[in-house]
Amino acid sequence: MAEVFFFLAAIGALAGALGTVALRNPFYSVLALVVHLLSLAALFLLLRAEFVAAAQVIVYVGAVMVLYLFVVAYVGGGADPISRAGSPSLRWASALFAGALFVELTIAVLGSGLSVLSTEGTGWFEGFGTPEQIGQLLLTDFLLAFEVASMLLLVAAVGAVVLARRRTGLEDPREISVGDLMRSGGRDEIGGGEAGTMIEVEGPPGR
Amino acid sequence: MSMEWYLVLSALVFSIGAGGILVRRNPLVILLCLELMLNAGNLALVTFARAHGNQDGQIFALIVMVVAACEVAVGLGLIVAIYRRKLPVDVDELRELQG
């Protein structure tokens, strides 16, 4: 029975991965990646990683992919035909590189001589991979990694807000603040670039 | 299922992701291919955790998920900033740093 589920999930994961790479519209690429992530969650369940599977579905499919969909809908993207990408020789070289990487990884894995790899896994015990066990490990052995990860999330959230912020307030002259006046050195014409760009601070674009 | 199947699948997904990064030019799709590679790594980590009956690999996979989420947040912020400046959303045309 496990074999049937493995092959179903593996086919789903491979189809999702190929769709992500090959589909022209970025919107469909995101949807293909959702299929891939759900299949991967099924594989995690087969591997007795219940908490990781649940986190995959909730965090990845539920949060990160929705963020992707919003950005794709905002940027638009449009069709990005692969045939336009570089020269044909470059594409063939890329495919060759990917194939060589796969062969190398497979040789490295199967030739590692680890006897445990040909088994169905050892050392399983009751409660393996449950939230209780994972939580206990996260708050004892891996407390430092846990805290650093939370700090990293905070930094990334602040950084994303700073990067994607809309810079406004220069279209209407009455809204210019004292800080803007001092920075521009009392020039009569402030701005010149469009609001929301960095050009507005430097004056008209030079190129 | 023996553990080798999972590891070969992981290697295959990783290679597909690497090939996609080389082929595609839209930074959004490149980020998606990066996600593919990170998830292939996650699958290998969880597989080794199961093979050895040790849950440390699952903790590692969770931390990788956190780092991937951070990378997505910053990467998408960059793409939105590029779009706001009316620059082309295409990695082949964004080559000012190349000289």
Side-chain angles (χ1 to χ4, degrees):
Chain A
M1 206 58 199
E3 283 82 0
V4 177
F5 282 121
F6 172 80
F7 281 112
L8 279 180
I11 289 171
L14 278 182
L18 285 174
T20 306
V21 173
L23 286 175
R24 317 221 154 170
N25 193 331
F27 202 82
Y28 295 146
S29 284
V30 176
L31 294 183
L33 191 66
V34 169
V35 172
H36 171 79
L37 292 176
L38 287 176
S39 312
L40 224 53
L43 285 177
F44 288 165
L45 275 183
L46 283 176
L47 287 168
R48 311 291 177 122
E50 300 162 18
F51 183 71
V52 181
Q56 173 100 352
V57 171
I58 293 171
V59 174
Y60 251 122
V61 183
V64 174
M65 285 302 122
V66 171
L67 188 67
Y68 261 113
L69 282 182
F70 274 131
V71 172
V72 170
Y74 176 67
V75 174
D80 168 35
I82 309 179
S83 53
R84 217 157 41 83
S87 59
S89 59
L90 197 66
R91 264 181 295 133
W92 280 113
S94 303
L96 199 67
F97 171 77
L101 188 64
F102 171 64
V103 170
E104 184 190 348
L105 283 173
T106 309
I107 289 174
V109 164
L110 298 185
S112 61
L114 290 173
S115 57
V116 74
L117 289 187
S118 49
T119 66
E120 301 215 354
T122 54
W124 184 79
F125 54 87
E126 188 71 34
F128 184 80
T130 54
E132 185 187 0
Q133 293 276 328
I134 298 290
Q136 199 171 15
L137 276 175
L138 269 181
L139 291 181
T140 53
D141 288 359
F142 298 98
L143 185 62
L144 181 66
F146 184 67
E147 295 293 338
V148 170
S150 63
M151 206 62 207
L152 183 67
L153 273 176
L154 177 68
V155 171
V158 174
V161 169
V162 169
L163 277 174
R165 164 186 67 173
R166 185 190 292 273
R167 298 177 182 81
T168 55
L170 288 179
E171 282 153 311
D172 187 353
R174 286 168 300 180
E175 288 182 18
I176 295 174
S177 66
V178 180
D180 288 330
L181 279 175
M182 289 175 69
R183 239 183 306 158
S184 65
R187 271 185 307 172
D188 287 332
E189 187 199 6
I190 295 175
E194 293 164 43
T197 66
M198 289 297 288
I199 301 170
E200 66 204 7
V201 187
E202 300 288 331
R207 60 188 167 83
Chain B
M1 280 321 278
S2 89
M3 297 289 119
E4 287 157 347
W5 286 91
Y6 292 93
L7 291 174
V8 170
L9 177 67
S10 152
L12 200 51
V13 174
F14 190 87
S15 311
I16 292 174
I21 285 181
L22 292 174
V23 167
R24 298 303 295 260
R25 303 200 305 177
N26 188 333
L28 273 166
V29 183
I30 289 180
L31 272 182
L32 289 177
C33 292
L34 216 58
E35 293 287 315
L36 276 183
M37 295 172 74
L38 284 168
N39 274 294
N42 263 353
L43 181 60
L45 286 171
V46 173
T47 305
F48 278 114
R50 174 77 183 92
H52 292 283
N54 188 341
Q55 294 168 92
D56 294 1
Q58 297 188 8
I59 305 280
F60 202 162
L62 283 173
I63 302 286
V64 168
M65 267 185 212
V66 171
V67 175
C70 293
E71 165 245 319
V72 166
V74 175
L76 290 181
L78 278 175
I79 292 174
V80 169
I82 289 171
Y83 180 72
R84 283 248 172 85
R85 297 186 61 184
K86 303 211 167 34
L87 293 170
V89 185
D90 184 332
V91 289
D92 274 1
E93 310 212 1
L94 296 169
R95 50 168 66 167
E96 280 168 42
L97 285 180
Q98 204 179 0

